[in-house]
């Protein structure tokens, strides 16, 4: 039986609020769920100690120094101090003792966006990744966060390519190994804005034991115990579950052929809604339950 993680995962759908009013999307401005820095603040819990340190890893980015500056400014705007930036550009740099020591001392690690294949091939099975995995499993309060590519790379099975406009044509989606922090999910990001339903659905139909997590922008799932997920942010998370999958033609049709599938289950999560990944159950938000009870009482 897999050990229950004592740490917390924060997977973000990309384009999270970084405190720049000029960068707010139209959806963020119009959403009644929008709150400044709501997603990034999850890296600094209310009970954090004074020495709580966040290390931002920019490996996924082809412009790591610019990415580092972006998040340095974002955390400053959010009044979050004690933040470091780590640029790991190859596998040799992923075993530098000074870098490994910084990860050992960190309270939270955050993977920036960019290219998830680059991130997973550079960090996968490295000393840095081993320390992160160990701390996530063993240390209460340790947080592993990631946005966009940084979120997609956290799963054991990872989407690394696939044209959204050709989703649900067999062979469109490209899959490889991720960092393995969570082993029963496949994660996709920028999910609503970039129309990635077909891409994630194909990935899940190919791997029906997994749950598909499609995260909208400025939206996150906070996952405790490797199982209990709760939605944060201004948008939506789409959950695709193939547990009840019936007929599907994916095993025998030629590549480029449209895929058919029976009994896909889809859940839509917004702020406060939860989902238990192992039990595959939707958990209503407390505010929704209270509102329903108030309406019934009147």
């Amino acid at each position: 039986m897999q050990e229950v993680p004592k740490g917390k995962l924060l997977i973000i759908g990309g384009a999270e609020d970084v405190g720049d009013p000029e960068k707010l999307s139209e959806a963020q401005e119009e959403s009644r769920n929008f709150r400044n820095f709501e997603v990034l603040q999850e890296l600094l819990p209310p009970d954090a100690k004074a020495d709580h340190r966040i290390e931002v890893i920019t490996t996924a980015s082809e412009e790591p120094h610019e990415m580092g500056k972006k998040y340095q400014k974002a955390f400053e705007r959010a009044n979050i101090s004690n933040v470091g930036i780590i640029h790991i550009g190859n596998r040799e740099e992923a075993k530098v003792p000074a870098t490994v020591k910084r990860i050992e001392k960190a309270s939270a690690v955050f993977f920036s966006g960019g290219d998830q294949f680059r991130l997973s091939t550079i960090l996968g099975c490295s000393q840095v990744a081993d320390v992160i995995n160990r701390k996530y499993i063993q240390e209460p309060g340790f947080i592993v966060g990631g946005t966009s590519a940084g979120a997609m790379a956290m799963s054991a099975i990872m989407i690394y390519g696939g044209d959204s406009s050709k989703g649900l044509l067999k062979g469109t989606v490209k899959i490889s190994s991720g960092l393995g922090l969570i082993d029963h999910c496949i994660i996709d990001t920028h999910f609503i804005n970039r129309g990635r339903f077909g891409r994630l659905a194909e990935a899940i139909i190919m791997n029906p034991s997994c749950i598909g997590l499609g995260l909208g922008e400025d939206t996150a799932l906070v996952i405790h115990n490797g199982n209990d997920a709760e939605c944060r942010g201004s948008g939506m998370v789409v959950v695709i579950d193939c547990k009840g999958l019936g007929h599907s033609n994916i095993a025998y049709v030629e590549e480029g052929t449209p895929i058919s599938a029976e009994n896909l289950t889809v859940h839509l999560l917004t702020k406060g809604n939860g989902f238990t990944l192992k039990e595959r159950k939707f958990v209503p938000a407390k505010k929704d339950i209270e509102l329903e009870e108030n309406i019934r009482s009147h």
Side-chain angles (χ1 to χ4, degrees), residues 4-295:
V4 176
K6 294 182 173 66
K8 178 176 83 173
L9 293 184
L10 174 66
I11 57 173
I12 306 169
E16 67 281 2
D17 174 47
V18 294
D20 186 347
E22 295 183 1
K23 297 290 179 67
L24 290 182
S25 69
E26 183 178 342
Q28 287 172 331
E29 290 178 334
E30 293 180 354
S31 175
R32 293 186 178 182
N33 279 342
F34 177 74
R35 182 164 62 84
N36 286 327
F37 302 114
E38 178 180 356
V39 171
L40 288 181
Q41 285 284 357
E42 290 290 338
L43 292 167
L44 183 67
D47 59 351
K49 297 180 180 178
D51 60 352
H52 184 92
R53 182 163 179 84
I54 301 169
E55 295 286 4
V56 178
I57 298 176
T58 61
T59 301
S61 177
E62 293 184 356
E63 298 180 341
H65 294 282
E66 291 302 313
M67 185 66 75
K69 291 176 184 177
K70 169 188 171 180
Y71 279 102
Q72 197 78 57
K73 290 179 180 178
F75 286 117
E76 286 175 3
R77 292 189 191 108
N79 294 317
I80 299 175
S81 58
N82 204 8
V83 176
I85 310 295
I86 300 179
H87 306 304
I88 302 172
N90 56 55
R91 292 191 63 82
E92 286 300 310
E93 293 176 0
K95 60 183 180 182
V96 172
T99 300
V100 175
K101 188 173 182 179
R102 284 177 64 175
I103 300 298
E104 286 276 11
K105 292 183 176 181
S107 307
V109 168
F110 180 76
F111 298 115
S112 75
D115 181 343
Q116 59 269 28
F117 191 70
R118 173 182 168 85
L119 175 59
S120 65
T121 53
I122 289 175
L123 290 191
C125 291
S126 67
Q127 282 91 329
V128 163
D130 288 347
V131 172
I132 292 171
N133 275 272
R134 177 181 55 76
K135 286 170 68 72
Y136 169 60
I137 294 295
Q138 297 179 358
E139 292 189 14
F142 183 66
I143 304 167
V144 185
T147 185
S148 190
M152 293 178 70
M154 287 195 198
S155 54
I157 300 175
M158 177 189 76
I159 296 173
Y160 75 88
D163 188 339
S164 300
S165 66
K166 297 179 181 178
L168 292 178
L169 296 180
K170 183 177 177 179
T172 298
V173 178
K174 307 302 180 185
I175 288 175
S176 68
S177 298
L179 298 177
L181 287 156
I182 188 164
D183 66 355
H184 45 279
C185 298
I186 299 176
I187 301 163
D188 210 344
T189 57
H190 302 280
F191 194 72
I192 309 299
N193 298 62
R194 300 184 186 178
R196 289 179 166 173
F197 182 90
R199 183 167 93 160
L200 183 58
E202 181 179 346
I204 295 302
I205 293 166
M206 287 192 290
N207 298 275
S209 64
C210 292
I211 293 171
L213 301 176
L215 294 104
E217 295 184 350
D218 191 45
T219 308
L221 282 179
V222 179
I223 303 175
H224 295 275
N225 308 314
N227 183 55
D228 304 316
E230 186 171 334
C231 184
R232 299 279 195 277
S234 62
M236 176 187 296
V237 175
V238 178
V239 179
I240 305 176
D241 183 1
C242 276
K243 185 178 181 180
L245 185 66
H247 167 82
S248 175
N249 66 354
I250 196 167
Y252 51 81
V253 297
E254 295 181 359
E255 292 206 359
T257 303
I259 297 167
S260 64
E262 178 187 21
N263 289 339
L264 295 183
T265 302
V266 176
H267 307 274
L268 306 179
L269 278 62
T270 57
K271 184 189 296 188
N273 293 147
F275 195 81
T276 55
L277 300 173
K278 294 175 184 176
E279 295 81 7
R280 301 176 183 241
K281 290 186 178 181
F282 179 94
V283 180
K286 291 181 180 179
K287 61 180 177 60
D288 292 343
I289 295 174
E290 291 171 356
L291 181 59
E292 289 174 1
E293 290 175 347
N294 288 336
I295 291 173

